[in-house]
Amino acid sequence: QVQLVESGGGLVQAGGSLRLSCAASGRTISVYTMAWFRQAPGKQREFVAAFSRSGGSTYYIDSVKGRFTISRDNGKNTVYLQMNSLKDEDTAVYYCAATPFTMAAIHSQYHYWGQGTQVTVSS
């Protein structure tokens, strides 16, 4: 079993950048596909990006392509989400998640979750 703790959220102006971190413990993240989801007030949790278990592929929703980058450092057992050119609509609680599946973009396919970190983008 793996435990996940997110950090790096905060308040940023539109057009700015943030880097979220997800520190894992209990098991190496190299055996999991790692992902970021987000949930805005009054909305369902939404898939944002994933980095495959094999390390060979990444996947993003269209609205963040070219702006967000997911990466992983297996040595530090940490996953990152670099967010650039932030927009108001990126405001949400961001969650780190892990699954043993090769690649997944559906909330129910993820077994392990962090507690979330708030990202607020002001215009």
Side-chain angles (χ1 to χ4, degrees), residues 72-123:
R72 61 196 294 165
D73 185 333
N74 289 345
K76 294 183 178 180
N77 224 28
T78 300
V79 177
Y80 304 97
L81 185 67
Q82 178 67 44
M83 305 186 296
N84 299 327
S85 303
L86 283 161
K87 304 176 181 180
D88 290 352
E89 52 263 43
D90 295 319
T91 294
V93 177
Y94 283 72
Y95 297 90
C96 178
T99 179
F101 291 118
T102 302
M103 176 57 80
I106 300 174
H107 171 269
S108 60
Q109 293 177 307
Y110 283 80
H111 298 189
Y112 306 105
W113 293 85
Q115 82 290 348
T117 184
Q118 176 71 48
V119 171
T120 303
V121 183
S122 65
S123 56

Side-chain angles (χ1 to χ4, degrees), residues 27-92:
R27 199 169 182 190
T28 175
I29 62 171
S30 63
V31 300
Y32 296 106
T33 288
M34 302 297 298
W36 289 93
F37 286 74
R38 65 186 180 187
Q39 188 165 17
K43 295 187 177 181
Q44 291 187 335
R45 195 166 296 190
E46 173 187 46
F47 171 84
V48 176
F51 200 119
S52 67
R53 186 181 65 191
S54 67
S57 62
T58 56
Y59 182 64
Y60 300 89
I61 56 170
D62 287 346
S63 61
V64 308
K65 284 181 181 177
R67 300 189 298 122
F68 290 12
T69 302
I70 187 171
S71 61
R72 61 196 294 165
D73 185 333
N74 289 345
K76 294 183 178 180
N77 224 28
T78 300
V79 177
Y80 304 97
L81 185 67
Q82 178 67 44
M83 305 186 296
N84 299 327
S85 303
L86 283 161
K87 304 176 181 180
D88 290 352
E89 52 263 43
D90 295 319
T91 294

